[in-house]
Amino acid sequence: MRELIRELVETYGPSGVEDEIRAVIRAEVEDLADEIRVDPLGSLVARKHGGDGGKRVVLAAHMDEIGIMVSYVDEKGFARFTRIGGVYSLNTVGDRVAFSNGTVGVVGVEQKRANATKIPTLDELYLDVGATSREDCPVAVGDSAVFVRPLDIQGTRLIAKAMDDRIGCAVLIETLRRLESTPHDLYFVFTVQEEVGLFGAGTSAYGIDPDVAIAVDVTGNGDTPESYPMAVALGKGPAVKVMDSGMIAHRAVKDVMVQRAKDAGIPYQLEVLARGTTDAMAMQVVRSGVPSGCLSIPCRYVHTPSEMVDERDVENAVCLMLEVLRADL
Ligand code: CO
Ligand code: ZN
């Protein structure tokens, strides 16, 4: 699974420009699915037929990642930018970003800004792409970039940009690979534009009209120095969402995940996330409502260029998802 994860996290794909990452995922799932299609907003839907009497189930992971978009290029060729999703200046100064055309930019900060001892605002940052004028600048207004970082592996820890949510995509792909049989009609949905408003998940779920929906995404942690109190740690198992700042997980969906984990002896944690939400929030409220839950991968440093997960949690998430899909829902 490491090579799959490497391929997914190192691919370019900010919200709204998911073509490259969609092509990578499509190549992985094409031979495993019974049907495959791209819906109008760009989400990739891979369907696996089940037997009679099963439920229609959506499993969703978002393929977009946070990034920045050029908003202005000055006469010396420096670019100003705005955020795509939750990008924060604290995590950005000195970092490198890459555009789809391969251009790399360094995030600089105005040296003579007001309050130079404070964390700069995004307005006080700029992008240096090596240009000397607006004319020779290789990027233009409206172009999007993502952090540049390779996957690093230290023991059981995996570190990369875009673990949010390529690690969820990896869990879904690996689940589809290992799936032997299921009574359910399964839709593996790789959604677009999660980071800017959960848009792909809502529209895909509306189109599919599922009986049950489960998102796979990252969550926070409570096991780093002076972290917010949260009963989630890396390496202690995937987390079954109970609640986050956008939704209360449907009790039956939460309960079935907990019960299958217990029955199969798979480690798990319960997640109450005070800051953040997932595609499950959007899926839960389409049409007349879809019982929805989320299986979360504990992750440190979410929305920084160095998001860290534990490989054992990823493996156990695949095992638990397979258990959940094996029987009645
Ligand atoms: Co995110
Ligand atoms: Zn996410």
Side-chain angles (χ1 to χ4, degrees):
M1 219 175 151
R2 282 184 176 183
E3 284 321 300
L4 172 65
I5 293 169
R6 186 186 307 280
E7 188 186 25
L8 293 172
V9 297
E10 292 183 359
T11 298
Y12 170 95
S15 311
V17 197
E18 293 95 348
D19 317 61
E20 254 178 70
I21 182 64
R22 182 172 53 238
V24 165
I25 295 173
R26 185 177 188 131
E28 294 291 341
V29 298
E30 208 143 34
D31 296 340
L32 304 168
D34 296 316
E35 281 170 39
I36 194 151
R37 64 186 167 83
V38 177
D39 75 10
L41 280 195
S43 298
L44 179 71
V45 181
R47 183 175 176 191
K48 186 86 181 163
H49 297 299
D52 290 333
K55 296 261 172 70
R56 191 153 55 233
V57 181
V58 162
L59 303 175
H62 66 91
M63 58 183 170
D64 62 312
E65 63 185 301
I66 56 170
I68 61 168
M69 183 184 283
V70 173
S71 54
Y72 179 78
V73 180
D74 71 19
E75 58 285 353
K76 290 187 173 153
F78 294 101
R80 299 289 178 158
F81 58 90
T82 188
R83 58 166 66 98
I84 301 169
V87 169
Y88 303 100
S89 54
L90 178 64
N91 310 322
T92 308
V93 175
D95 226 299
R96 287 177 225 181
V97 297
F99 289 81
S100 62
N101 67 4
T103 298
V104 168
V106 174
V107 178
V109 58
E110 295 173 358
Q111 292 175 346
K112 287 164 66 181
R113 68 186 187 279
N115 294 322
T117 56
K118 297 246 172 68
I119 297 169
T121 64
L122 275 195
D123 292 343
E124 294 167 325
L125 306 184
Y126 58 85
L127 211 53
D128 185 340
V129 291
T132 54
S133 70
R134 192 177 281 143
E135 288 65 43
D136 74 2
C137 185
V139 300
V141 171
D143 289 350
S144 304
V146 300
F147 294 129
V148 189
R149 290 296 168 101
L151 173 71
D152 277 315
I153 302 176
Q154 303 228 72
T156 60
R157 309 295 207 210
L158 309 177
I159 308 154
K161 61 102 173 152
M163 280 295 175
D164 175 14
D165 185 27
R166 304 289 166 71
I167 201 65
C169 296
V171 168
L172 290 197
I173 293 167
E174 191 66 18
T175 299
L176 183 56
R177 276 181 184 166
R178 295 190 206 172
L179 192 71
E180 278 161 10
S181 71
T182 172
H184 307 296
D185 200 6
L186 301 182
Y187 294 80
F188 292 78
V189 184
F190 301 90
T191 64
V192 293
Q193 298 193 39
E194 190 269 357
E195 296 290 359
V196 292
L198 320 174
F199 298 123
T203 49
S204 298
Y206 189 98
I208 295 165
D209 190 13
D211 300 308
V212 178
I214 300 174
V216 180
D217 207 334
V218 298
T219 187
N221 69 286
D223 61 346
T224 45
E226 306 297 328
S227 57
Y228 292 119
M230 184 181 182
V232 170
L234 260 61
K236 300 252 172 79
V240 175
K241 190 181 296 292
V242 182
M243 184 172 148
D244 63 26
S245 59
M247 76 177 298
I248 296 169
H250 192 276
R251 282 269 284 286
V253 179
K254 182 210 81 177
D255 288 347
V256 80
M257 288 197 271
V258 168
Q259 195 56 49
R260 293 290 199 290
K262 282 183 179 160
D263 293 347
I266 299 167
Y268 71 97
Q269 314 178 67
L270 290 179
E271 174 205 352
V272 178
L273 177 68
R275 291 161 195 82
T277 193
T278 72
D279 277 343
M281 172 190 172
M283 297 192 293
Q284 175 145 270
V285 294
V286 296
R287 294 180 179 265
S288 356
V290 178
S292 301
C294 180
L295 186 60
S296 298
I297 309 299
C299 184
R300 292 178 181 168
Y301 322 118
V302 174
H303 287 198
T304 77
S306 301
E307 299 177 327
M308 179 191 288
V309 302
D310 192 293
E311 198 171 25
R312 295 166 298 177
D313 298 336
V314 181
E315 171 64 23
N316 283 318
V318 175
C319 295
L320 178 51
M321 193 55 94
L322 287 166
E323 289 297 326
V324 167
L325 299 176
R326 200 158 280 157
D328 286 350
L329 275 171

